[in-house]
Amino acid sequence: MANREIHVLVVGGSWAGVTAVNELLGLSHVAYSRLHVTLVEQRTHYFHRTGVIRGLVDQKYADKMFIPYQRLFMDGNKPSPHHRLVRAKLTHIYEHSIEVEGGERIFYDYLIIATGAAYTSLPVTQSIDEKECREKYQKMRNAIEAARSILFVGGGAVGVGMCCEIAEMHPKKLLMLAHARDRLLNEDLSDNFSNTAEVHMKKMGIDLILGETVLSASIHDDDDDHSTLTHDEWVVKPQIVHTKSGRRIPCDLVIWTT
């Protein structure tokens, strides 16, 4: 095995993908010098999604969340001649090769699929370019700063965590959280855990709206027309949130964390 070239292809720069690449690069240095590692990933950088909540209220923390993938493949100050990053989107998988957008074929001996999970509610997680990602992140922070009243839709871990982070940094803002279930968080967590979170949020002054399914949010212009907002629009304007029961909730900003 050590006497022939081995091409390992990792598709996806998720946490699992980056971990696999690092392990393989270590093997190439100590055991298999003819091992070639290729990472196929659309993004320019690894984005620490778990930290996105803290980054919304802490600029210094946010700056640490962007890690260029190319850094994995540097040999000192130069790109490694044996390993590489291919910025592309996977379109087809074949027995010994893959095809990416544009028609390029990349051959492999071993293939690792590590595309990870997608979280589409927060605009910043959808960017594939670091510059665009930073710009969206700043837009989200600006929206939070400008809004006087914010409604979070979805009381799972992301909604609860983000709402509490903002409440701690902006105690004078009116913060509301609407959740379709009668208790916070998901069914995998105990009632005691959920109740503790509820008590803590109420102490922070957060208005909890439980048992309400949010259908849409709309803004009204000067002609009394209204336009429905999509889930990834962070618009700071007087708007009305509509629930399944017919309730109308006014706010300046809606953040979907479903």
Side-chain angles (χ1 to χ4, degrees), residues 227-242:
S227 57
T228 301
L229 298 169
T230 61
H231 289 195
D232 60 352
E233 289 185 84
W234 284 46
V235 176
V236 182
K237 282 186 176 181
Q239 50 196 281
I240 299 294
V241 172
H242 308 271

Side-chain angles (χ1 to χ4, degrees), residues 95-126:
E95 187 174 357
H96 294 294
S97 67
I98 67 166
E99 185 176 315
V100 298
E101 276 188 342
E104 180 185 357
R105 284 281 192 101
I106 304 173
F107 292 87
Y108 64 84
D109 295 300
Y110 298 94
L111 174 65
I112 298 174
I113 302 294
T115 48
Y119 188 84
T120 58
S121 291
L122 301 179
V124 70
T125 63
Q126 302 173 47

